Amino acid sequence: QVQLVESGGGLVQPGGSLRLSCAASGFSLDDYAVGWFRQAPGKEREGVSCISGSALSTYHADSMKGRFTISADNAKNTVYLELNSLEPEDTAIYYCARRDLKFCAWYGLRAADFRSWGQGTQVTVSS
């Protein structure tokens, strides 16, 4: 059974950092791509980053490049999302999800391409 469990969210001041974790079970990160998405109140779900199976490649949405970094520890079967220089506009629920293919899509992240989802972790950026 595929399961994804996010953790690491919380309240942080503007300019601060967080590291989110996505613990995967029921499959190997060697074989599937995992993405991070976020959804702010009243807004559509937005793709953030993706890492291919075996960490062969990564993708970051343009608005997050330079501030967010995705990585994976395949031995722990865990994907991480490092959030730096956080802004109030980054406040959202952050979700990780598994794509049913090994590689991230060349066109970026679409929620419809990811079938298995975690429950999300809340990130709040506020002074």
Side-chain angles (χ1 to χ4, degrees), residues 88-99:
E89 294 72 25
D90 296 315
T91 295
I93 300 175
Y94 284 70
Y95 301 89
C96 65
R98 192 196 83 170
R99 193 172 190 231

Side-chain angles (χ1 to χ4, degrees), residues 7-127:
S7 62
L11 173 64
V12 63
Q13 292 187 342
S17 299
L18 282 174
R19 188 177 79 157
L20 307 182
S21 299
C22 171
S25 59
F27 70 98
S28 172
L29 292 181
D30 288 337
D31 300 326
Y32 294 93
V34 172
W36 283 96
F37 292 78
R38 68 183 185 182
Q39 188 164 20
K43 294 189 176 181
E44 291 187 358
R45 194 163 293 192
E46 175 184 27
V48 176
S49 298
C50 182
I51 188 164
S52 293
S54 302
L56 292 175
S57 62
T58 61
Y59 168 87
H60 293 84
D62 286 343
S63 59
M64 288 76 165
K65 281 181 182 177
R67 297 195 301 127
F68 295 178
T69 303
I70 192 170
S71 63
D73 184 335
N74 284 34
K76 295 182 178 179
N77 224 38
T78 299
V79 176
Y80 303 98
L81 185 67
E82 189 82 27
L83 311 176
N84 296 308
S85 302
L86 284 163
E87 305 166 352
E89 294 72 25
D90 296 315
T91 295
I93 300 175
Y94 284 70
Y95 301 89
C96 65
R98 192 196 83 170
R99 193 172 190 231
D100 285 348
L101 294 171
K102 183 168 182 173
F103 292 95
C104 304
W106 62 268
Y107 48 75
L109 290 117
R110 290 190 318 198
D113 292 341
F114 292 77
R115 189 168 302 189
S116 303
W117 292 78
Q119 83 290 347
T121 185
Q122 175 72 48
V123 172
T124 302
V125 185
S126 175
S127 56

